[in-house]
Amino acid sequence: MSGYAYGQWLRALASLGAGSRGAAAKARKWRAVLDGVNAGQVTVGSRTPVAGVPAWVTVEVVHAGFATGRLLAERPLTADEVAKLRSATPGSTDRERLNLHYLSDAGQVELLDALKSGQYRIDLSEEAAIPVAVALFAAGRDKQAFDLLEEIWPWIHRLKFTPTFTEVAVLSGDAVRVRSVREVITTLERVTVPQQITAMRETVTVWNPRYDALVALWAQTVNGPLPRLDGGEVVGGWPCTRWPDDWAEQRSQWLADLPGAVTGKHAHPKGNFARLHEALLLCPRDSADLSPRQVGWIRRALANALTKVRSAGALPEGPSYAEIAATLATRLRELRPYGGIPAVEPVTAHLDPPAHLVAKLTKALEAPAAELVHRGVITSGETLGAVLPQRTSRLAARHIADPVLAALHERTYTAFRERRGLLLLNLARQVQFDELPWVGANPAPGTDDGSARGVLRDTVRLALTAFPHTITPNPLVTELRAMADLADLDPPLVHELAADIFTGEFTSASRRAAATASRLLRGTLYANYYDLPDEWDNADFTTVCSDRAVAAGAPTRGVARTGAQLEQAQILTTHNLAVLVDTLDLADWLAEAAPDLAGTALDWIARRATQRPPNRHAALVQVKNIAYALRQALFFLSYCPPDHRRAHVHRLAANPDFTHVVRGLEHVIAGGRFDSAGTTPNGGQRLLGWVDHRAYWPHITGT
């Protein structure tokens, strides 16, 4: 495990040398991981990774679940907190003095007034500890308050156990938001000239909107004047020298909106569009994977594009995008910074802002998750999982009669869900919300009155309808599990495991989920396509996955072997689809929705397959994602009538790349099965994401 951390540190250092944004911070964090491990202060794989620190303390966690050793609640005092120290109780540290102030008689009155008014913010779950103790004292529950204080007392001198006092707009009902007003203002303030606005204003008169957006996207990464041609030479700034916070999100949206294969003049492999598009595929967040030569091609392509546009004539009249963004930010400052907006139209009135600025603004819209999906604000299962704690928190607090404790419970839950998960070994479980000492002081949730189950059903239907081509991502699985607990349900939901850090063991939930899938899908298209076992009896789940991976042609070792084993686990469990349908009695709903869900997933596959990846690694990722999407589609097709199945499969037939996939599907739909090599007599092949497909897709897989 230390070798992985060492490799990440070296990669961050290399990115630092290439001028990658944020590389210095990444390098410092990975160095902290290594230093902590070497000093014996950090234990990789433990749920208490920092020596002497209890599990409920929030530690800083970097990629893949490695702890740096830093305690996030151990933060310096703010200016407001320093001012409060003038009358605070003595203590060994400033933090202790401030914490103890709010436990004094005067401090408790002050804190309780803020709790009753609701004008406080909890950013880390620890910040609710003293407020809960004070609320317990006020409710006459002194013993529970003293027990809580005894638990946190060893850390009273180090950690921030008090909230931030500020105006907060409270969500209600089923509303959620992706970002706060304050966060949206920050993104609008970054809209500046020339990196973003000039490129978009100049390109709008020449190329189609896709090309406009692509040029503008790369122009945002230029620090200084945009590149242009001067006598055949490229002058101006260099791309890949700055990375706006939402650049990766804009990139993902541009790629998602690309309507299949590029045609016309933009399809020329050495054209500006092709070069910028190819480079975009290699830059999920920054240019760490680009060579200096490739960055130079991006600069040349930008210069070609922007110089040609300059010669096309005058720019459009009217306010620049930066001016419009500034006006939007000014209007937002009139609202509560940590709240959202009830509607977009009052903020955009008389401005006619471009779509990309409206999209930024709509991130703060408070509305049901389904509406935000419909508006294109929530664009993935990951984002849906990230906003759901705002809804689950209200469900979790509904049984607490004391309104002060209920509000604290709700806000603590939302803050806790921001906590990053640790890399755990030996099937250890992540720290749970009810393990926080101040949460345990509250009464346990009562029996569900149907509210939590109803929200859970609605959420699952929304996720399947909006994103039928993707598996349930881990943030969403976590929230579905929390909702299930509130609904008095115990579905064996499983998380996606990373192939590069998998330790070779599955939880008991995986076997339970596989048994559910075999029972629910027996005799269906999905079961026949993947040869699901009819019964599990005493079979060991890990062994079954390993044997199936080998039989499917997986490599004998390395990450690819592990990935193939994990894919078999996802196949056997349907990665939560069967469990959710079975637990929530969704079979009747799915029978109606399945044709549309399967069609959407297959259409996504058809579009994705037209995109030619620039290298072998990107090709392998592409094949894996297509295989995973097909697995989703096959699950939905299993609930469709036979004639629907044949019609849907023909959605892929137009693409010659899918000839072997279509033949395999047609053979199984007709009642046949794959042989031990995963092939059919008519030349079909079972599609898997971690098996070598070079014989079928040589142009995709880089051979």
Side-chain angles (χ1 to χ4, degrees):
M1 292 299 180
S2 295
Y4 178 89
Y6 181 69
Q8 292 296 315
W9 177 59
L10 291 179
R11 183 175 181 179
L13 290 178
S15 299
L16 181 64
S20 175
R21 184 177 180 275
K26 291 179 183 178
R28 285 195 297 270
K29 290 177 181 179
W30 282 111
R31 179 58 186 265
V33 172
L34 292 170
D35 290 345
V37 171
N38 292 334
Q41 293 298 308
V42 173
T43 303
V44 177
S46 170
R47 71 195 309 265
T48 53
V50 183
V53 176
W56 51 262
V57 174
T58 307
V59 299
E60 182 180 53
V61 178
V62 294
H63 179 69
F66 287 80
T68 66
R70 176 175 168 241
L71 313 184
L72 293 183
E74 190 172 20
R75 54 177 60 177
L77 271 62
T78 64
D80 290 341
E81 289 176 326
V82 170
K84 183 66 64 176
L85 287 178
R86 296 169 185 168
S87 59
T89 304
S92 61
T93 66
D94 285 346
R95 180 58 69 190
E96 182 176 8
R97 292 169 61 200
L98 190 66
N99 283 332
L100 293 180
H101 164 71
Y102 288 108
L103 291 172
S104 67
D105 290 342
Q108 287 195 47
V109 171
E110 179 185 348
L111 179 54
L112 197 59
D113 285 344
L115 297 180
K116 290 179 178 178
S117 69
Q119 299 308 302
Y120 64 93
R121 192 178 79 248
I122 293 176
D123 297 320
L124 292 169
S125 55
E126 287 91 328
E127 296 172 5
I130 286 180
V132 168
V134 169
L136 291 172
F137 280 131
R141 297 162 59 185
D142 292 8
K143 182 182 184 304
Q144 289 173 292
F146 282 123
D147 289 345
L148 167 56
L149 292 175
E150 184 178 0
E151 182 82 12
I152 69 172
W153 203 260
W155 302 92
I156 202 80
H157 65 295
R158 292 181 61 181
L159 304 183
K160 184 177 186 288
F161 288 126
T162 56
T164 299
F165 301 101
T166 185
E167 283 193 314
V168 175
V170 179
L171 289 165
S172 61
D174 56 356
V176 296
R177 60 174 174 261
V178 174
R179 290 182 180 173
S180 68
V181 165
R182 178 174 177 268
E183 291 170 321
V184 170
I185 289 174
T186 299
T187 63
L188 291 172
E189 288 175 339
R190 294 195 181 104
V191 181
T192 58
V193 177
Q195 288 84 357
Q196 192 168 9
I197 297 86
T198 301
M200 298 187 75
R201 285 170 62 84
E202 290 176 344
T203 56
V204 73
T205 58
V206 176
W207 289 292
N208 61 55
R210 305 289 179 198
Y211 200 176
D212 295 349
L214 180 60
V215 173
L217 191 59
W218 279 114
Q220 292 180 58
T221 71
V222 178
N223 189 13
L226 291 173
R228 61 184 177 84
L229 295 178
D230 186 3
E233 297 295 325
V234 179
V235 298
W238 279 83
C240 305
T241 53
R242 63 186 298 273
W243 300 96
D245 288 346
D246 61 346
W247 191 88
E249 182 179 346
Q250 291 186 57
R251 168 196 177 272
S252 298
Q253 189 62 54
W254 190 92
L255 289 173
D257 290 342
L258 194 64
V262 179
T263 59
K265 64 181 181 180
H266 301 324
H268 194 284
K270 294 185 179 181
N272 298 327
F273 186 97
R275 292 194 185 281
L276 295 176
H277 179 205
E278 178 179 335
L280 198 68
L281 293 172
L282 294 172
C283 296
R285 290 179 178 82
D286 54 38
S287 57
D289 294 330
L290 294 182
S291 67
R293 179 181 177 83
Q294 289 170 309
V295 174
W297 277 117
I298 297 173
R299 185 170 183 248
R300 165 67 70 171
L302 282 176
N304 290 340
L306 297 174
T307 301
K308 185 174 181 180
V309 175
R310 287 190 181 98
S311 65
L315 297 178
E317 298 180 357
S320 70
Y321 291 169
E323 292 167 336
I324 296 175
T327 302
L328 293 174
T330 298
R331 293 179 179 182
L332 288 177
R333 291 189 187 94
E334 299 175 2
L335 305 176
R336 293 178 175 178
Y338 292 97
I341 57 176
V344 173
E345 291 74 17
V347 185
T348 61
H350 311 298
L351 279 181
D352 192 24
H356 74 280
L357 292 185
V358 175
K360 292 178 185 293
L361 180 65
T362 313
K363 297 289 186 183
L365 179 65
E366 294 179 349
E371 180 178 342
L372 296 183
V373 168
H374 177 71
R375 285 174 171 260
V377 180
I378 295 177
T379 57
S380 68
E382 286 84 356
T383 303
L384 178 61
V387 303
L388 280 179
Q390 300 166 40
R391 184 72 180 92
T392 313
S393 63
R394 296 193 286 278
L395 287 171
R398 72 193 189 283
H399 289 299
I400 301 175
D402 187 320
V404 170
L405 285 172
L408 276 169
H409 193 84
E410 179 181 331
R411 299 184 193 190
T412 306
Y413 181 92
T414 305
F416 179 77
R417 286 303 184 210
E418 296 290 330
R419 178 172 176 154
R420 297 191 66 175
L422 291 161
L423 167 62
L424 299 178
L425 303 178
N426 303 318
L427 303 182
R429 193 182 186 194
Q430 298 286 345
V431 176
Q432 302 300 297
F433 180 61
D434 57 9
E435 290 184 66
L436 305 181
W438 45 98
V439 171
N442 282 322
T447 302
D448 180 41
D449 60 1
S451 300
R453 184 184 179 91
V455 173
L456 178 59
R457 283 173 60 91
D458 290 344
T459 301
V460 170
R461 287 195 293 247
L462 174 62
L464 296 183
T465 303
F467 317 111
H469 59 286
T470 60
I471 64 175
T472 46
N474 288 346
L476 181 57
V477 173
T478 296
E479 214 53 36
L480 294 178
R481 181 176 289 167
M483 288 183 179
D485 288 342
L486 294 172
D488 304 319
L489 299 172
D490 184 29
L493 298 176
V494 294
H495 284 86
E496 183 180 16
L497 304 174
D500 54 352
I501 58 175
F502 179 60
T503 57
E505 294 182 275
F506 295 96
T507 65
S508 60
S510 295
R511 192 181 186 283
R512 289 175 56 204
T516 298
S518 290
R519 171 177 55 81
L520 190 70
L521 296 171
R522 186 176 295 116
T524 65
L525 173 62
Y526 185 101
N528 293 340
Y529 188 89
Y530 292 113
D531 285 332
L532 294 191
D534 290 332
E535 301 290 343
W536 277 86
D537 299 324
N538 297 320
D540 178 71
F541 184 79
T542 302
T543 301
V544 171
C545 291
S546 180
D547 290 346
R548 285 172 61 96
V550 172
T556 57
R557 59 184 178 181
V559 173
R561 165 65 181 276
T562 304
Q565 183 178 358
L566 294 175
E567 182 180 17
Q568 289 299 324
Q570 291 182 343
I571 288 171
L572 292 169
T573 64
T574 68
H575 198 71
N576 300 315
L577 293 177
V579 166
L580 291 170
V581 170
D582 186 59
T583 302
L584 299 174
D585 300 319
L586 292 176
D588 291 342
W589 170 81
L590 188 57
E592 294 184 10
D596 287 339
L597 301 183
T600 301
L602 291 170
D603 286 345
W604 181 90
I605 292 172
R607 291 194 306 272
R608 187 71 176 89
T610 63
Q611 301 174 12
R612 292 297 181 257
N615 55 52
R616 179 163 173 75
H617 174 72
L620 295 175
V621 172
Q622 178 178 352
V623 172
K624 185 196 75 170
N625 290 337
I626 288 174
Y628 285 15
L630 181 64
R631 188 174 70 239
Q632 297 276 122
L634 288 175
F635 182 87
F636 300 133
L637 285 173
S638 296
Y639 284 82
C640 294
D643 56 333
H644 281 69
R645 297 173 193 167
R646 297 185 183 92
H648 278 308
V649 169
H650 288 154
R651 292 171 182 258
L652 303 179
N655 189 330
D657 293 339
F658 282 103
T659 299
H660 62 295
V661 177
V662 172
R663 288 175 178 172
L665 278 170
E666 290 176 338
H667 182 74
V668 176
I669 289 174
R673 302 291 281 269
F674 290 104
D675 60 22
S676 59
T679 62
T680 61
N682 64 344
Q685 169 87 19
R686 181 190 286 126
L687 180 61
L688 297 172
W690 287 85
V691 174
D692 194 340
H693 285 277
R694 281 176 290 184
Y696 294 93
W697 286 344
H699 55 292
I700 290 182
T701 52
T703 58

